[in-house]
Amino acid sequence: MQETHVTLTGRPVISATGLFTPPDSITNEELVASFNAFVDRHNAANPDAEPLTYSSAEFIEKASGIKARHVMSKAPILDPDVMGPRLPERRNDELSVMAEIGVASARQALDRAGRSPADVDAVLCAASNMQRPYPAMAIEIQQALGIEGFGFDMNVACSSATFGIQTAADYIRAGNARSVLVVSPEITSGHLNWRDRDSHFIFGDVATAVLVEDAAIAPVQHWEILGTKLKTVFSNNIRNNFGFLNRAAPETAGTPDKLFVQEGRKVFKEVVPMVAQMILDEATRLGIDPEGLRRLWLHQANAGMNRLISHKVLGHEASEDESPTVLDTYGNTSSAGSIIAFHQHNQDLAPGDTGLICSFGAGYSAGTVFVRKVA
Ligand code: COA
């Protein structure tokens, strides 16, 4: 760090955020046309089996609020013979694809904060899937940005980013770091089963970055972190059994449970009350009137879930201004969703306004980050 003379406060703030959006996007109509072509081919090839059923763009939008999703590898996903991303393996001396998109979002956050990479102490790569077990994605991102200090990976599924923010905030609170990057590259298209009618429409790819810093070194415009809270409750209702031990059981290596599987209805029913209560309890602990929250940047999994949670928190039906949606164009981007919403919808708020970044998902896991705009 260059500002060695600065007296640290131990108070964590969000100095800036960054976003990388893959240029290619798939509309519901394109997705369903490809899925239905797969269904036709499958049924023609398996006349004696229980026939597969068509998907519907209308159902997808109504059930989830999703109209399109960005992806890193569009053509193979839409090819009924492939139905999955195809990202050519890179040599070990090339930047890996997860690191590449993470770096793009991190650079934007650093630029927005006017922060030099040399002044960052740590990088957390917080995402629902890592491209490899080691070396950590975070260390590759750290090296690509020219950051000294340390980095490590964290995986808490859809809550990875908020868990990362609390971890970064705790480093600031403890005085162990002054500036921490939380990077969430989410190539969710790689774990989605594009042949599963119940879930093929859910996910999209993206990368986000959040720069968490000590208030003493933050840029004039920043968000004070008023409090963070994390919660986990074990559930099998969202699960992905892919892992390095699968090769020890090769007979099950290609089965659908090695991709994302869920009981969507149960998730909906169980997670909504859990998260709403968690938000209300945490607001009480922090002495914040939930009805006075200016904006909720909620996890982006399902528009209906967000409608119910925001209603319970605010005491009335939330407007798009109070609880903005990015689901329609991004789909569910796992841990990055609430950060995209925050990134795209915070500039218009006034100094003193309070809001909530909140994630929830597999584990179950949930995280809240209450913030107040400063300047
Ligand atoms: N196209 C057309 N119809 C479909 C369909 C598709 N792609 N997928 C399911 N359906 C049908 C079902 O067959 C069912 O028909 P039936 O009533 O005749 O049996 C009907 O639609 C309802 O299916 P269901 O799975 O109960 O839908 P849903 O309303 O619960 O919506 C989700 C599904 C996944 C969008 C919703 O449950 C959800 O978002 N849950 C929360 C998920 C979540 O947050 N997960 C975390 C991920 S990290």
Side-chain angles (χ1 to χ4, degrees), residues 158 297-302 306 332-338 358-361:
C158 287
W297 299 279
L298 299 181
H299 175 49
Q300 304 284 314
N302 179 293
N306 286 5
N332 180 344
T333 48
S334 195
S335 72
S338 57
C358 178
S359 70
F360 38 88

Side-chain angles (χ1 to χ4, degrees), residues 159 162-163 229-231 274-275 278 359-360 364-368:
S159 287
T162 55
F163 276 57
K229 183 84 179 173
L230 310 179
K231 185 179 172 77
M274 180 182 107
V275 169
M278 178 181 173
S359 70
F360 38 88
Y364 296 131
S365 58
T368 60

Side-chain angles (χ1 to χ4, degrees), residues 62-84:
K62 194 156 163 273
S64 69
I66 298 167
K67 298 180 191 168
R69 70 286 295 143
H70 290 272
V71 290
M72 297 290 290
S73 175
K74 178 171 175 173
I77 289 173
L78 290 181
D79 180 343
D81 289 328
V82 183
M83 296 184 87

Side-chain angles (χ1 to χ4, degrees), residues 324-347:
T325 291
V326 302
L327 254 181
D328 49 346
T329 52
Y330 280 90
N332 180 344
T333 48
S334 195
S335 72
S338 57
I339 307 301
I340 306 172
F342 177 75
H343 177 86
Q344 292 192 333
H345 301 280
N346 76 51
Q347 295 294 323

